[in-house]
Amino acid sequence: MTGGMDGRAEDRGRVYQASGDQHITEHHHHGDGSAVPGGPDSVRRPAVGRPPAVLRDRAEVLTRLRESVAAGRGGEAYVLYGMGGCGKTAVAYTLFQLATGEYGRVGLWVSASDRSSLRAGMLAVAADRGAGDGELLAARGGLRPAADLVWQHLDRSAEPWLLVLDNADEPEILRDGSWLRTSPRGTVVVTTRRSAARWWPGAELQHIGVLPREDAARVLQDLAPHSGTQQEADRIAERLGRLPLALTLAGGFLSQQVLDPWTMETYGRRLDETEGVELIDQGADPLSPEDPRHLVGLTWQLTLDAFEARGLPEATALLRLLARFSPEPLPLSLLDHREIGGILPHDRCETALRALLDQSLTELVDVGVRCTQSHGVLLDSVAAATPADKVPPLDTTAVRLLDAAVPAVPDAGPYEPRYRLLVPHVLALLRRAADPRTAADALAVAIRLSVALHRTGDYQAAWETARTAADLGERRLGRPGHRLVLAAHSRAGRSLFRLGRYAEAEGLLRRIRTAQETLLGADDPDTLDSGQGLQLVLGNLGRRDEAAALLRATVAGRRRALGPDHPLTLRSRTSLLALLPAADIAAEDDGTLLSLPEECTRILGPDHTVTLGARHNRAWTLYRLGRFDAAERETRLVTEAYLRRFGPDYPITLSARQLLSRTHVARGRVAAGIEIMTDVLARRERSLGADHPFTVASRELLGDFTSRRGQTDTASS
């Protein structure tokens, strides 16, 4: 490249230019989204908001990366590392376009910024490469090794692929579960701030750095060519640490001032006058003696000041609100709620969001759900610079928005990906919240979100959410015996049980229930909830007498605390139908258990989850009593309802179908029972794993049925 001008910005374009290290031309597109490339599967489309139109002067690294996606190549991993905002994702995006366009590879793009996003994205990759619904359900629920499933299907891919793991700034997440591997069928590219070679064994590392001084100044001149001299641009570029993201915002700010245009000299003087912010990312690896990200905070603050001066304080308020959340995609629906009125008028949210988009302070991304996404360095900087008196209303509003996005009473249902999108944001808010009352409110939302994840079968995410929330809540609230901290640990124990980790679940639930009983009382709803979970564990461990005594106490306590008609009271009573010996059912609970489904129908309705559970458990009791005709009729009704609501691979659907196979065999239709049981076992092996206790029980039951194969099917319909 010569020393002259090689690029110019036109209309809304921005040109990044450098001779040694960088960079980018980009175009913003705002509208109905019809022009966005790619299909509905988000892993086939990079979630980068504004893709660069041109990538300048990364020729050396791009040459190596292009070679890795040529025909016949595979089995390689590359790590692009550097500070946030240096263009790592831009390089990966450019390679992605080359690989899918010129080289005909399947492109797969996954956010690796946290466990929830990584798991969800990698499981979407598995689905793209042919994984079945049952396998995915098992992996989502943590009932089989998710990483093994993903790489099994990547290894079997009919087409060569390129997999990008973007924003892997916590490489321990990739190491836990062995997510980062290689395959002869494809190439892996990772973008990260973390440069230590120990995190990336077997990968080729490539540093993506800031711009040389001259080229950084040229970016400013390209974006705002009439604002100042080369010398002034040089000084501002140095003041901004030559960070491309900061230069983009500075140049954009200078170019968009119409009524009262600023010169570079004015801009530089304001940079010097503005009070600095503390170093943002304390946990990032130091990449230079002076991390320029705190300087980026100054640049963004100038833009916020301009919003105020132009009569757009709502844009500042909205960005400060976004800074209470995670840099992961945030559903736009979360912002479109009346609760946002705590910091800006609801009818001004659209205007504020457009202002942030125009100033490149946030992005629109589509990950199957329309979201806004802001750079992590920006959010950290804005959060650090937010005036102390503004923080409490911002945190309160953020909690209320998240609270409104999570069901008040989470119900059982099929997998819901929106819940996963909320996880990093509620945890980020819990990390940021300084006021104990706000932290307690955020923890309460996190607990309810864990319940929602659990009840859609996403047990692994439910456990991770509850466990992390409990740890954060303990630090924020200052004591392990806080009611909400104990409740979060209790939810983690409930999910451990569903994961088949019975011993861990028992230990945790027993410890938490004891603490709750001491601190809150035996009839406190939280104590009773832990008792309900613990009796499930004990029953499945074969300690049925102990489980029955605890369950009876839970029923009595819930009657006293909640009333006889409360859904939780009725749920505990339905558990008696499943746990107690069949001969004891008639005399239990004043002889009302066998009529419990009708009672639930009257109080809750015929389609309520508790009502269906009562019918399911009554069918099991009828089977154990030898009333096979009645048991089959009840089981068929429940199975049909479960199939409609949850699908064929949901755990309780499989439980009902297993009972249906038992009734077939009991009535002499052995072949029909074997056919159903074979399908149940196959689905449980895919969804729960071969060694899960439920799978083992199904396998043993099928073996028993198969041993009767020689018997004649005597029963008629």
Side-chain angles (χ1 to χ4, degrees), residues 532-567:
Q532 176 73 20
L534 181 57
Q535 65 84 23
L536 285 169
V537 179
L538 295 173
N540 279 271
L541 286 171
R543 290 146 61 183
R544 303 186 75 82
D545 290 344
E546 186 181 356
L550 179 55
L551 182 55
R552 288 187 176 104
T554 302
V555 170
R558 280 182 163 173
R559 275 195 170 117
R560 289 190 296 268
L562 305 174
D565 294 343
H566 194 280

Side-chain angles (χ1 to χ4, degrees), residues 233-301:
D234 286 344
R235 191 171 73 84
I236 293 174
E238 281 298 320
R239 185 72 173 83
L240 296 175
R242 295 178 280 113
L243 187 68
L245 185 57
L247 296 168
T248 301
L249 290 170
F253 178 90
L254 289 168
S255 67
Q256 294 179 30
Q257 303 307 302
V258 178
L259 295 178
D260 186 18
W262 285 24
T263 64
M264 288 189 187
E265 191 276 334
T266 302
Y267 193 91
R269 186 174 67 251
R270 286 293 303 272
L271 280 174
D272 293 334
E273 294 170 353
T274 305
E275 183 178 347
V277 298
E278 295 182 358
L279 196 63
I280 297 301
D281 192 350
Q282 297 284 340
D285 291 332
L287 301 177
S288 64
E290 182 180 35
D291 190 331
R293 279 177 294 187
H294 71 290
L295 302 175
V296 175
L298 304 184
T299 305
W300 291 321
Q301 187 58 50

Side-chain angles (χ1 to χ4, degrees), residues 50-71:
R50 299 186 314 273
V54 176
L55 186 72
R56 297 187 184 275
D57 297 325
R58 300 293 192 189
E60 183 177 349
V61 62
L62 274 177
T63 296
R64 287 199 301 277
L65 293 174
R66 286 180 70 133
E67 291 172 356
S68 75
V69 296

Side-chain angles (χ1 to χ4, degrees), residues 121-132:
M122 291 296 275
L123 288 174
V125 166
D128 184 275
R129 297 293 84 202

Side-chain angles (χ1 to χ4, degrees), residues 137-138 141-144 453-460 462-463 491-506 509 532-533 535-537 540 571 575 650-652 655 684 687-689 692-694:
L137 181 66
L143 300 172
R144 65 171 298 171
L453 290 162
H454 181 104
R455 292 183 178 169
T456 58
D458 199 349
Y459 304 127
Q460 184 73 21
W463 172 63
R491 289 311 314 177
R494 299 288 289 269
S495 294
L496 282 171
F497 162 68
R498 289 296 176 183
L499 290 170
R501 296 160 64 175
Y502 293 167
E504 294 174 75
E506 181 193 359
L509 286 170
Q532 176 73 20
Q535 65 84 23
L536 285 169
V537 179
N540 279 271
R571 185 187 296 274
S575 297
Y650 199 76
I652 56 176
S655 177
R684 277 190 164 166
S687 63
L688 305 180
H692 192 282
F694 292 172

Side-chain angles (χ1 to χ4, degrees), residues 133 137 413-414 607 612 616 634-658 660 676 679-680 683:
D133 290 342
L137 181 66
D607 296 324
L612 293 174
H616 188 174
E634 190 94 277
T635 304
R636 284 187 183 278
L637 292 173
V638 171
T639 301
E640 290 169 2
Y642 286 164
L643 285 168
R644 287 194 303 272
R645 285 187 57 179
F646 309 127
D649 292 301
Y650 199 76
I652 56 176
T653 305
L654 295 172
S655 177
R657 293 190 66 225
Q658 179 165 295
L660 185 61
I676 294 174
D679 183 64
V680 168
R683 291 178 185 275

